[in-house]
Amino acid sequence: MYVMTTATAPLPASAPAPVWARRAAHAIALCAVPSGLWRIAMASGVYVGYSNQVLRDVFDIPGWGIAYVVGLSVLTELAALFPLLLVSDRWRPLHPRVLTPLAWTASGVLVLVALWQLVVAFTVESQTYMSSGTAQTVWGFAFAPLFAIPALMTAVTWSYAKRHRARGQA
């Protein structure tokens, strides 16, 4: 005999995510691609503005630095796919009561990370390693999209929370 409890009851359908939220979630995943490709190029030996000595001494490339840089790229892209859970109508691995606070926490962390990255990007130490000119311009274009992620993530999270809050009140 099967007894349905609140723990086993199916979740009632919520309103689908608005088109703008779906686009924002997909944009987050795309914003992480340029910096990941830049890091993979660096790990592959493509000249990205660092001398061979800097790659060896600072980044340990060739060496364990390759695994770190490629792993960071993969981890970043996987994390950038998280917002797609917030706009998916088909796949819900976590209950909204768990996913909503997790998404708000991720949004807050992303804002702090973005602010920290601005500090790091403009410190003297981070600029002394890279040659100036074209390499810095390419680096800037590769990493600039990352700064859109906190705002996009906050908007997607707000949309998710709003849709599931409305469902809970119905």
Side-chain angles (χ1 to χ4, degrees), residues 1 4 38 54 81 92 99 106 122 151 154-155 159 166:
M1 179 173 158
M4 187 178 294
W38 185 90
V54 168
L81 295 173
R92 294 191 181 129
L99 196 54
F122 293 109
T154 301
S159 172

Side-chain angles (χ1 to χ4, degrees), residues 61 63 108 112 120 132 140 146 154:
I61 295 174
L112 293 175
V120 169
S132 60
L146 292 178
T154 301

Side-chain angles (χ1 to χ4, degrees), residues 26-114:
H26 284 85
I28 291 169
L30 292 174
C31 284
V33 171
S35 62
L37 292 175
W38 185 90
R39 283 190 208 99
I40 290 170
M42 181 173 89
S44 300
V46 174
Y47 179 73
V48 293
Y50 295 122
S51 69
N52 288 334
Q53 182 179 354
V54 168
L55 288 174
R56 269 190 318 277
D57 297 346
V58 177
F59 297 105
D60 196 23
I61 295 174
W64 286 103
I66 293 172
Y68 169 75
V69 170
V70 172
L72 183 61
S73 296
V74 170
L75 185 64
T76 301
E77 193 58 46
L78 287 174
L81 295 173
F82 170 73
L84 295 175
L85 293 175
L86 302 177
V87 297
S88 173
D89 295 331
R90 296 186 197 122
W91 193 60
R92 294 191 181 129
L94 297 172
H95 193 279
R97 278 184 270 163
V98 174
L99 196 54
T100 302
L102 183 63
W104 280 119
T105 302
S107 294
V109 167
L110 285 169
V111 168
L112 293 175
V113 168

